[in-house]
Amino acid sequence: MILVTGASGQLGHAIVERLVEAGRPVVAGTRRPVAGSTQRHIDFDEPVSLDFTGFATVVMVSAGYAEDDVVIARHENVVAAAERDGVEHLIYTSVATDGDHLGFSVAHRWTERRIQGSTLRWTILRNGLYAELFGSLLAPSEGVITAPFGFGAVAVVTRADLAEAAANVASEPDRHINRVYDLVGARAITADQIARVAGLVYQPASLGSHRAALDESGLLPFQPAMLLSIYSSVAHGILSRTTTDLGDLLGRSPSDPELTVIRRMEQPATV
């Protein structure tokens, strides 16, 4: 039996869907289970809710944005419960190998080390920047994109491909024991390229001016720095490296992310 945490989130939900389509026995774990459903109450902030008894494989979808100490405490709760309850294999969705400069990488790398030093068999999926997030952050206004991505390229990936890859690993975990996969795109794209395809003008702002705007936007205290780390890493080519890992896990070429970026860019911006 497979348990997927964070099943109310977009990635976790998509992983569950892929496993159901594949006919795998799976339970969706979420902080907000639907009444009368088979979903299980799983809340990383509530250790008493973390009962993994009977699950051979747990797909641990990262707890998401928060201060490092909060995320690390959540992840410790999950790993400790998995060890206690006899889980055989833990699959963790981390951040891309070249993402060490991102403002949310510390909690991911700490969690990877904790898992690798645990009593569990494990697989770490180092997910690249979502194409959907890249599109959202481009946020054109009146035909102009000012997001400070500079002219650096980024190997974005679609959330659907990442979900399919995670489901494939969870379906046959014995093939992926103690492996780390770098799931970035097969090609890198630029904000300028997207603007030209979409018929928009690209005039990237400076990081400083964008930081000032974010500071006035009402975001949570830790969010501006995290967002600026994404902009700066892309602008300076840190996230441009490609690999074949995603295609290997999918058994096909990854989806071209360009259309996904453009579609998401046309929707209201969210963080």
Side-chain angles (χ1 to χ4, degrees):
M1 181 68 74
I2 303 166
L3 174 71
V4 178
T5 73
S8 293
Q10 295 183 74
L11 179 61
H13 179 73
I15 295 171
V16 171
E17 285 189 331
R18 297 292 86 74
L19 287 167
V20 170
E21 290 171 0
R24 304 298 183 183
V26 58
V27 172
T30 172
R31 291 179 298 168
R32 300 178 296 274
V34 176
S37 72
T38 59
Q39 294 179 335
R40 176 172 294 209
H41 179 226
I42 296 291
D43 188 334
F44 290 7
D45 290 320
E46 299 177 10
V48 70
S49 75
L50 303 178
D51 182 358
F52 299 144
T53 306
F55 291 102
T57 301
V58 170
V59 181
M60 177 185 172
V61 177
S62 170
Y65 294 151
E67 298 288 1
D68 288 340
D69 55 348
V70 174
V71 177
I72 286 171
R74 291 170 176 169
H75 290 178
E76 168 60 28
N77 289 339
V78 176
V79 178
E83 290 180 305
R84 178 198 66 209
D85 294 338
V87 171
E88 296 176 8
H89 199 113
L90 184 64
I91 300 166
Y92 175 59
T93 62
S94 189
V95 67
T97 299
D98 288 337
D100 284 344
H101 298 285
L102 295 172
F104 44 90
S105 65
V106 170
H108 283 294
R109 296 296 181 249
W110 181 93
T111 304
E112 290 184 8
R113 292 182 181 184
R114 172 68 175 90
I115 292 170
Q116 290 169 331
S118 72
T119 60
L120 305 162
R121 301 188 311 183
W122 51 266
T123 306
I124 292 170
L125 306 178
R126 289 183 167 176
N127 292 347
L129 192 70
Y130 294 162
E132 292 85 351
L133 176 60
F134 187 50
S136 176
L137 294 178
L138 287 172
S141 176
E142 299 182 352
V144 180
I145 297 173
T146 60
F149 283 115
F151 293 89
V154 55
V156 296
V157 285
T158 67
R159 188 181 286 109
D161 276 0
L162 293 175
E164 183 178 335
N168 288 349
V169 172
S171 295
E172 298 182 284
D174 288 351
R175 297 181 56 191
H176 308 282
I177 296 172
N178 299 356
R179 296 287 303 275
V180 177
Y181 295 104
D182 197 18
L183 304 185
V184 296
R187 72 182 184 95
I189 58 178
T190 68
D192 181 54
Q193 172 187 335
I194 293 297
R196 284 186 277 108
V197 171
L200 301 171
V201 175
Y202 183 50
Q203 297 177 343
S206 69
L207 290 170
S209 64
H210 202 72
R211 180 186 295 274
L214 289 175
D215 287 342
E216 299 296 325
S217 65
L219 295 174
L220 295 173
F222 62 87
Q223 289 181 313
M226 287 188 173
L227 289 172
L228 261 296
S229 73
I230 296 174
Y231 293 124
S232 185
S233 292
V234 173
H236 296 97
I238 301 299
L239 302 178
S240 62
R241 188 174 61 89
T242 63
T243 75
T244 62
D245 285 3
L246 182 56
D248 291 343
L249 290 184
L250 295 173
R252 59 172 175 79
S253 297
S255 305
D256 189 330
E258 193 172 281
L259 183 57
T260 298
V261 171
I262 292 173
R263 285 175 174 170
R264 185 62 188 86
M265 183 175 62
E266 295 170 346
Q267 299 172 14
T270 58
V271 175

